[in-house]
């Protein structure tokens, strides 16, 4: 059970970092902190609709993996025999 727990913790750490990076890559919808930190300059980089949709899909998939690893780690911790 320890190997599974360590593997899930590694998956949780990697998905946390990747989610942070992918969320920061998303194009700002205007008006928030993204405009304060140069959102007008980076808005042309994400102009492709296909790239934005793929970024959304990858972010959602990583979010599901992140949430499921948290749930499985919680279940392992709750039902651990020690």
């Amino acid at each position: 059970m320890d190997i599974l727990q360590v593997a899930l913790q590694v998956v949780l750490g990697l998905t946390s970092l990747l989610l942070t990076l992918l969320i920061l890559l998303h194009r700002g919808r205007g008006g928030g902190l993204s405009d304060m930190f140069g959102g007008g300059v980076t808005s042309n980089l994400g102009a492709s609709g296909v790239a934005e949709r793929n970024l959304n899909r990858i972010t959602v998939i990583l979010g599901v993996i992140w949430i499921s690893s948290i749930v499985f780690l919680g279940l392992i911790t709750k039902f651990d025999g020690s």
Side-chain angles (χ1 to χ4, degrees), residues 31-54:
L33 288 175
S34 62
D35 286 343
M36 181 190 295
F37 294 114
V41 175
T42 60
S43 65
N44 292 334
L45 295 175
S48 173
V50 175
E52 188 72 24
R53 279 195 305 262
N54 288 336

Side-chain angles (χ1 to χ4, degrees), residues 11-61:
V11 168
L12 181 65
L14 288 175
T15 54
S16 296
L17 289 174
L18 288 174
L19 271 175
T20 303
L21 292 174
L22 287 176
I23 289 171
L24 288 174
L25 282 175
H26 276 86
R27 183 174 43 180
R29 300 283 183 225
L33 288 175
S34 62
D35 286 343
M36 181 190 295
F37 294 114
V41 175
T42 60
S43 65
N44 292 334
L45 295 175
S48 173
V50 175
E52 188 72 24
R53 279 195 305 262
N54 288 336
L55 187 62
N56 288 338
R57 289 179 189 144
I58 294 170
T59 306
V60 168
I61 290 169

Side-chain angles (χ1 to χ4, degrees), residues 45-78:
L45 295 175
S48 173
V50 175
E52 188 72 24
R53 279 195 305 262
N54 288 336
L55 187 62
N56 288 338
R57 289 179 189 144
I58 294 170
T59 306
V60 168
I61 290 169
L62 277 176
V64 169
I65 293 171
W66 185 76
I67 289 172
S68 61
S69 66
I70 290 174
V71 169
F72 287 137
L73 274 171
L75 289 173
I76 289 173
T77 304
K78 182 177 180 178

